């Protein structure tokens, strides 16, 4: 389950940042997770529940923003929300498009004390 390793590295990044601020508790963490980031949300939530125990994030509020996947058609330039890599352009049916949003996997913000 790679969601667990993702969550563990998120926790590591968050704790490092909190320590730089001389904080001991993280109250809230906000994540941006793209729908094309390869993360299963249910697995992510499960991983958070088990990985946060004993960390500075144990009592934190976890806010997860799901970022929709947006693609730009390589033929006509039309922009559309895509479900997967092989969704054809709804305008011209060209199967080739570039996903320019939706692969995000980052810590957006932290609230510490
Ligand atoms: Zn097109």
């Amino acid at each position: 389950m790679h969601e667990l390793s993702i969550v563990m590295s998120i926790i590591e990044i968050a704790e490092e940042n909190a320590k730089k601020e001389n904080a001991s508790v993280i109250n809230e963490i906000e994540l941006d997770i793209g729908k094309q980031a390869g993360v299963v949300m249910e697995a992510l939530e499960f991983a958070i529940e088990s990985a946060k125990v004993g960390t500075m994030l144990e009592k934190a509020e976890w806010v997860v923003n799901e970022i929709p996947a947006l693609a730009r058609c390589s033929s006509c330039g039309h922009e559309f929300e895509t479900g997967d890599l092989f969704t054809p352009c709804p305008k011209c049916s060209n199967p080739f498009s570039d996903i320019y949003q939706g692969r995000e996997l980052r810590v957006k913000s932290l609230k510490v004390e």
Side-chain angles (χ1 to χ4, degrees):
M1 193 174 87
H2 82 139
E3 280 78 5
L4 186 58
S5 59
I6 290 169
V7 170
M8 285 168 77
S9 62
I10 286 171
I11 289 174
E12 204 173 299
I13 292 164
E15 286 191 322
E16 259 173 43
N17 279 292
K19 279 172 195 162
K20 271 183 216 159
E21 308 273 329
N22 290 320
S24 54
V25 176
I26 298 171
N27 290 325
E28 188 185 293
I29 181 166
E30 191 174 0
L31 307 175
D32 279 347
I33 310 281
K35 284 189 173 170
Q36 283 297 317
V39 173
V40 179
M41 285 299 164
E42 292 78 36
L44 186 79
E45 280 163 23
F46 184 79
I48 288 170
E49 288 308 311
S50 58
K52 72 180 183 182
V53 177
T55 73
M56 290 165 76
L57 285 144
E58 186 163 2
K59 293 192 170 67
E61 176 88 14
W62 288 71
V63 180
V64 179
N65 302 318
E66 271 189 88
I67 310 296
L70 297 177
R72 189 178 288 115
C73 174
S74 63
S75 173
C76 74
H78 182 60
E79 293 176 3
F80 56 99
E81 189 171 343
T82 181
D84 60 57
L85 292 171
F86 308 105
T87 305
C89 172
K91 251 189 172 172
C92 71
S93 301
N94 170 29
F96 303 106
S97 58
D98 297 317
I99 294 178
Y100 65 93
Q101 180 192 288
R103 292 207 173 107
E104 294 81 355
L105 185 57
R106 63 175 173 232
V107 178
K108 192 183 180 194
S109 69
L110 284 175
K111 284 182 191 149
V112 298
E113 74 180 32

